[in-house]
Amino acid sequence: MVVDWFYAQQHGDDRGQLVALEAQKEIPFEIKRVYYIYDTLTGVRRGFHAHKQLKQLLICVSGSCKILLDDGTDKEIVTLNKPYEGIFVQSNMWREMYDFSPDAVLLVLASEMYDESDYIRDYDQFLEYVKSSGGDK
Ligand code: TYD
């Protein structure tokens, strides 16, 4: 698996930095939902699911956290710790998020509205699903 990194353009000047993210420009999908995870307690591991359709961009805009990605064949762990760096997470990808620093804010841009029926929350079901769908992204 090759992690699909995203590097935002930084609009910096002597006042500081600014990053802008626009659908269909920097982000190759229509952004239908934005959410963020913060105040995560030490030792907490979350996620533990894959999506059938949803595409996401994850950016840790403050602090740091680790993301485990698993496409059913390969696993990779990345550290997100810069407000201008992120990863695209395609559908059919198991993810777990952990090692959140106390100041971590994990921003997620998502291609679809919240839909529980798009989730696969059981790891064995996920493996079955990727096998049967041929790992379509
Ligand atoms: P959950 O899926 O458990 O988060 P994670 O995948 O990070 O472990 O979501 C936590 C709660 O938030 C759960 O009650 C569902 C709710 N939620 C929404 O209402 N809308 C959303 O877009 C998301 C991602 C979660």
Side-chain angles (χ1 to χ4, degrees):
M1 183 208 310
V2 178
V3 174
D4 195 3
W5 282 95
F6 167 76
Y7 301 99
Q9 186 186 351
Q10 298 179 78
H11 302 276
D13 57 30
D14 53 10
R15 299 168 299 169
Q17 302 288 343
L18 183 154
V19 163
L21 304 173
E22 285 187 44
Q24 315 295 3
K25 285 172 86 181
E26 291 82 5
I27 314 302
F29 52 77
E30 193 189 338
I31 300 160
K32 293 204 182 145
R33 177 164 53 107
V34 174
Y35 64 91
Y36 42 95
I37 295 169
Y38 59 99
D39 278 357
T40 308
L41 298 180
T42 306
V44 163
R45 210 169 167 105
R46 57 188 305 165
F48 295 98
H49 64 258
H51 287 280
K52 297 175 193 162
Q53 299 296 332
L54 190 72
K55 297 184 177 69
Q56 295 178 309
L57 172 63
L58 277 55
I59 302 175
C60 197
V61 291
S62 167
S64 66
C65 67
K66 291 201 177 100
I67 315 281
L68 168 102
L69 296 176
D70 177 350
D71 63 8
T73 307
D74 299 316
K75 294 182 198 260
E76 242 180 88
I77 293 167
V78 300
T79 299
L80 297 181
N81 57 11
K82 295 188 179 64
Y84 52 86
E85 240 178 53
I87 51 170
F88 288 111
V89 181
Q90 304 296 334
S91 52
N92 293 337
M93 189 74 79
W94 187 264
R95 85 284 315 271
E96 295 171 21
M97 296 92 92
Y98 59 103
D99 275 4
F100 287 84
S101 62
D103 58 344
V105 181
L106 180 63
L107 175 73
V108 182
L109 308 185
S111 65
E112 306 294 338
M113 311 282 269
Y114 182 69
D115 175 9
E116 189 56 40
S117 71
D118 189 59
Y119 280 74
I120 306 172
R121 294 191 183 274
D122 178 272
Y123 187 71
D124 290 333
Q125 271 177 23
F126 161 69
L127 292 179
E128 279 303 309
Y129 187 81
V130 281
K131 245 194 277 168
S132 65
S133 64
D136 292 346
K137 298 282 181 283

